[in-house]
Amino acid sequence: MKLNHIEVFKYVVFIVLFYFLLIPSIFHFFGLLEQSKYFGELAKSNTSIFFFIFISNFILFLGFTLALTKSLNISNNQNWFNFEYVSFKRSLIALVYCCLVYLVWSSLENFSLDRSEVKEEVTFLSSTFLIFTLTASSYLMMKEKNFLIILPMSFFILVLAFSFSERELLLYAGLPIFIRFSVNYGRSMFFFLGLLGMLSILLFKVVSVEARNNFEFTDNSKERISWYLTNFANDALVKYELENAYLLGDSPQYNKLTYLSPFQIFRLIDETHTSNGRIATSYYTNGYMGTGFSALLESWQNFSYLGPFVSPIFLFIVLVFTFRFGGTVLLIPLLVFLVKFLRGEFWTAYMIYITFPFIFLILKRLFVSRSIFLREYELT
């Protein structure tokens, strides 16, 4: 049975939400969750804390699922999306390829650096240019008629993901191809590519490390592959540990009311103001490993323990606004944003993965009558 684009998006959203919000608690219940060396508190978690976290995440799961589903339905009914395959101008395709080639060429030296050193080298302008290019590439990959034109784009994005050691970059190439094949070939292809995609993401850390060692796989590499396959919930582990430590009283003083605006705005008033993710990183790992944050924990900082009930309303309003003015262009960035938001903070993820491309679209509509980015009739 074939699927349409909206159905595929809904399924992907459901899987992402289920993984980050519910899988950690389920694995913890069955004793399958391996603790991080920076958090020794899971063993102290009592039954009431466990169920409170599970129920809170379950409410958030239902709320976010409803918010995303409703916003997608409204946007689709209002014809804000356009999923027809089209042929783009050669000048646009050439421009995107030039940007990708430049990014790959300029990032090749990253293979000789540690991940922490790579992150230190990234500037505001370079990250903005990267997100712009990946947004344009993902849109072309989802709508360009000629599949042979977009296949090399996926290769360049794969190289960028390895050079920056960022798995999320794979989503800009993997999701458009996954959606196209799922729509064209039905549910069986959806499940096959979905399983293949999850295995690829799980093993990315191992392969990205070996890429810096000329792919010389050792016994240690095999052990790490086995560890990642066994510890399926690892990517959502720290988020879960932050929630648990907070309820146990072992947590720093987090910023409140973070939904009001990005932390950069607060910094205009207070130069020492920073994100909750950085506060957690400094407190738990002394800056050695980034902890990220938690969508559930952030909802508590904004609406106390009513957060799981109220946060989905806030998300729904923002998503409708985003789809109304961003249309199809921002669909793939939305899924990348969702992954980052669930184990991070709302505005930090939104500013990087949605606002930068969103501002570009606004400026283009205001000052360019015939865009080099998209043809006018494609903007929905």
Side-chain angles (χ1 to χ4, degrees), residues 15 19 191 193-203 229 232:
I15 292 170
Y19 177 80
F191 288 112
L193 291 180
L195 178 61
L196 183 63
M198 285 189 288
L199 287 174
S200 300
I201 291 174
L202 283 172
L203 297 179
L229 291 176
F232 178 72

Side-chain angles (χ1 to χ4, degrees), residues 130-143:
L130 176 65
I131 297 302
F132 279 163
T133 303
L134 292 177
T135 299
S137 301
S138 67
Y139 184 80
L140 263 67
M141 293 177 72
M142 191 165 63
K143 289 180 62 68

Side-chain angles (χ1 to χ4, degrees), residues 30-313:
F30 288 104
L32 301 174
L33 200 63
E34 184 163 333
Q35 295 180 217
S36 166
K37 65 181 179 180
Y38 298 105
F39 299 84
E41 302 296 335
L42 285 181
K44 300 179 183 178
S45 179
N46 55 45
T47 304
S48 59
I49 289 179
F50 168 81
F51 278 106
F52 184 78
I53 291 176
F54 175 75
I55 292 172
S56 297
N57 272 310
F58 184 72
I59 294 171
L60 202 62
F61 167 76
L62 294 178
F64 282 171
T65 301
L66 183 62
L68 282 150
T69 301
K70 288 293 185 182
S71 61
L72 285 170
N73 287 339
I74 291 173
S75 304
N76 194 43
N77 293 335
Q78 294 294 324
N79 294 319
W80 294 340
F81 297 142
N82 176 12
F83 296 110
E84 294 181 3
Y85 295 133
V86 296
S87 294
F88 291 93
K89 287 185 175 181
R90 291 181 180 179
S91 58
L92 170 62
I93 297 172
L95 176 61
V96 173
Y97 267 111
C98 287
C99 293
L100 287 171
V101 169
Y102 170 77
L103 285 168
V104 169
W105 174 77
S106 61
S107 65
L108 287 178
E109 63 180 16
N110 290 349
F111 284 100
S112 61
L113 304 175
D114 292 332
R115 189 170 186 265
S116 58
E117 294 176 314
V118 173
K119 285 185 172 291
E120 290 177 0
E121 294 291 328
V122 175
T123 64
F124 174 79
L125 289 178
S126 64
S127 62
T128 302
F129 179 64
L130 176 65
I131 297 302
F132 279 163
T133 303
L134 292 177
T135 299
S137 301
S138 67
Y139 184 80
L140 263 67
M141 293 177 72
M142 191 165 63
K143 289 180 62 68
E144 168 60 42
K145 277 184 179 180
N146 189 345
F147 199 73
L148 293 177
I149 291 178
I150 66 175
L151 276 180
M153 290 184 184
S154 62
F155 171 76
F156 286 125
I157 295 176
L158 178 64
V159 174
L160 288 172
F162 280 125
S163 66
F164 286 100
S165 293
E166 288 287 349
R167 286 174 296 175
E168 285 76 8
L169 300 187
L170 291 175
L171 299 177
Y172 285 99
L175 286 172
I177 294 176
F178 173 71
I179 291 168
R180 287 180 70 134
F181 274 81
S182 298
V183 169
N184 292 333
Y185 299 102
R187 296 181 188 274
S188 58
M189 183 61 70
F190 174 89
F191 288 112
F192 172 73
L193 291 180
L195 178 61
L196 183 63
M198 285 189 288
L199 287 174
S200 300
I201 291 174
L202 283 172
L203 297 179
F204 177 83
K205 284 186 177 180
V206 179
V207 178
S208 64
V209 170
E210 300 307 330
R212 287 167 162 75
N213 297 325
N214 298 318
F215 291 101
E216 295 178 0
F217 285 89
T218 63
D219 291 337
N220 183 53
S221 304
K222 296 176 182 178
E223 290 178 4
R224 293 200 298 133
I225 290 174
S226 175
W227 188 89
Y228 279 112
L229 291 176
T230 304
N231 295 275
F232 178 72
N234 180 63
D235 284 330
L237 171 62
V238 175
K239 164 196 171 298
Y240 182 67
E241 289 179 313
L242 287 171
E243 297 160 1
N244 188 76
Y246 179 78
L247 292 179
L248 286 170
D250 178 22
S251 65
Q253 185 67 38
Y254 291 124
N255 295 322
K256 305 289 186 180
L257 303 177
T258 56
Y259 286 162
L260 290 179
S261 72
F263 74 89
Q264 292 90 341
I265 303 299
F266 287 109
R267 188 175 287 173
L268 296 176
I269 304 172
D270 180 7
E271 292 183 356
T272 63
H273 193 90
T274 187
S275 65
N276 282 329
R278 291 179 180 176
I279 293 174
T281 295
S282 176
Y283 181 84
Y284 291 107
T285 73
N286 197 27
Y288 181 76
M289 181 198 78
T291 62
F293 202 54
S294 157
L296 174 62
L297 197 48
E298 186 176 25
S299 75
W300 289 341
Q301 303 310 308
N302 283 271
F303 304 110
S304 187
Y305 293 116
L306 291 176
F309 295 95
V310 183
S311 292
I313 301 174

Side-chain angles (χ1 to χ4, degrees), residues 324-335:
R324 170 63 184 86
F325 294 99
T328 320
V329 180
L330 295 182
L331 274 175
I332 299 300
L334 166 75
L335 294 175

Side-chain angles (χ1 to χ4, degrees), residues 128 131-132 135-136 317-331 333-334 347 350-366 373 379-380:
T128 302
I131 297 302
F132 279 163
T135 299
I317 295 172
V318 173
L319 288 179
V320 171
F321 175 83
T322 301
F323 292 146
R324 170 63 184 86
F325 294 99
T328 320
V329 180
L330 295 182
L331 274 175
L334 166 75
W347 281 115
Y350 193 91
M351 288 291 289
I352 296 174
Y353 298 100
I354 301 293
T355 302
F356 291 164
F358 187 68
I359 291 175
F360 179 79
L361 287 173
I362 293 176
L363 293 175
K364 179 192 63 57
R365 288 174 183 267
L366 290 175
F373 184 68
L379 292 172
T380 59

